[in-house]
Amino acid sequence: MATEQKKQIKRLVKTRMQLETGKTQHGLVGTLRAIIKEEGVGRLYRGLVPPLLLEAPKRAVKFAANDFWGKTYLSATGESKMTQKLSVLTGCSAGATESFVVVPFELVKIKLQDKTSTFKGPMDVVKQVIAKEGMLGLYAGMESTFWRHVYWNGGYFGCIFQVKSMLPKPETPQAQLMNNFISGAVGGFAGTVLNTPFDVVKSRIQGATKIPGVAPKYNWTYPALATIIREEGVAALYKGFVPKVLRLAPGGGVLLLVVEFTLGIFRQVLGPPYI
């Protein structure tokens, strides 16, 4: 639980930094201090429920989709083994699949974590969004979420393949664990570098309040990227990068360890052809 609390604080700080337009007023520590000072410690845990509910299905979809698309592309290309290009393509396809699952949860989280939020809780967000915009309102930011997950998963799985090929061949279970952690952590870092600009856009789109008859400032991903660069500079595309990478780089390593360990158990239990 303590680990999840730390993740939640990083998520909240990241979201606040990304929603801040114009010149950045606070860094990681400054944003955290400002939240505690102005809103109280309890505010740090606002929006905790959606990520908790999402975690298991999101990870399951990510790796199941990666396995499915990997086999599909190997069959389609006639390759007998995964290559660097195929691993990137497979990761991007898994990310695209995953994005359809996460959008409503991300929307609720962003709405709750916005500094100006007056929602009572997750279900209040859902009720109000549906009442004002219909069911499709829960999928606001779908396109930017799609690109965010495509780039992160492409970088993550592509780097895992490349880093594993560069590391010494493991001769013990402990060495295998270390290789998995290193490659997963590098993949998590690379994926975060690639997808943070799209995450900033997603936060801006989902955090905006829609006004009837008024075109939103941030609507589609690539025009929104251009708007942010023009008004705030290229560095603004990486707002919230530090808390995000502190969570996802080591998290990418741990995630790969858990998945490989779990798959290993299933292979032993199921036997051939899985073992």
Side-chain angles (χ1 to χ4, degrees):
M1 182 59 72
T3 301
E4 190 55 43
Q5 289 175 338
K6 292 176 183 177
K7 288 182 180 179
Q8 164 62 16
I9 292 172
K10 291 172 185 175
R11 289 190 197 102
L12 176 64
V13 172
K14 180 213 72 167
T15 300
R16 288 296 182 84
M17 293 174 74
Q18 290 180 342
L19 291 174
E20 183 182 20
T21 58
K23 187 176 180 180
T24 302
Q25 300 297 315
H26 308 287
L28 169 62
V29 177
T31 301
L32 181 59
R33 286 176 176 171
I35 293 171
I36 295 173
K37 181 179 179 180
E38 297 172 13
E39 304 168 56
V41 176
R43 191 74 171 191
L44 295 175
Y45 299 99
R46 189 168 172 82
L48 173 63
V49 174
L52 281 176
L53 293 176
L54 176 62
E55 193 66 21
K58 181 174 76 170
R59 301 309 180 195
V61 170
K62 179 196 297 290
F63 282 92
N66 189 70
D67 183 63
F68 169 80
W69 288 114
K71 292 177 180 177
T72 300
Y73 292 137
L74 283 173
S75 176
T77 59
E79 295 281 355
S80 58
K81 289 173 34 176
M82 187 63 68
T83 65
Q84 177 67 32
K85 290 181 180 179
L86 283 180
S87 66
V88 173
L89 178 60
T90 297
C92 289
S93 300
T97 306
E98 178 188 32
S99 67
F100 288 92
V101 177
V102 306
V103 178
F105 294 89
E106 283 289 322
L107 177 75
V108 173
K109 183 197 75 174
I110 295 294
K111 294 289 189 187
L112 288 172
Q113 292 184 341
D114 189 350
K115 185 177 181 179
T116 61
S117 174
T118 57
F119 293 104
K120 298 175 183 178
M123 290 310 299
D124 187 38
V125 176
V126 173
K127 290 178 182 177
Q128 290 198 38
V129 169
I130 293 177
K132 294 177 182 177
E133 305 170 40
M135 288 294 295
L136 289 178
L138 295 174
Y139 278 84
M142 175 67 232
E143 185 237 2
S144 55
T145 303
F146 173 89
W147 291 117
R148 182 183 81 150
H149 286 267
V150 164
Y151 280 93
W152 196 88
N153 284 275
Y156 180 66
F157 287 108
C159 275
I160 286 173
F161 178 89
Q162 185 63 31
V163 173
K164 277 188 174 181
S165 69
M166 297 169 63
L167 292 171
K169 187 175 181 179
E171 297 180 355
T172 65
Q174 291 75 17
Q176 181 66 58
L177 288 174
M178 182 57 68
N179 280 10
N180 284 340
F181 178 78
I182 292 172
S183 56
V186 173
F189 178 84
T192 304
V193 170
L194 289 172
N195 93 329
T196 297
F198 302 93
D199 195 25
V200 172
V201 169
K202 182 196 75 69
S203 294
R204 299 280 180 94
I205 292 173
Q206 293 185 328
T209 300
K210 289 189 176 181
I211 302 174
V214 178
K217 182 176 183 179
Y218 307 106
N219 197 359
W220 298 101
T221 302
Y222 290 96
L225 288 172
T227 299
I228 293 172
I229 292 173
R230 184 176 65 252
E231 296 182 352
E232 304 173 51
V234 176
L237 297 178
Y238 281 87
K239 285 185 175 181
F241 175 77
V242 174
K244 183 179 171 75
V245 80
L246 286 176
R247 177 169 59 90
L248 292 178
V254 173
L255 178 61
L256 187 60
L257 284 179
V258 172
V259 170
E260 291 290 347
F261 177 76
T262 305
L263 288 177
I265 292 176
F266 277 117
R267 291 187 187 107
Q268 289 180 7
V269 172
L270 295 174
Y274 302 97
I275 193 167

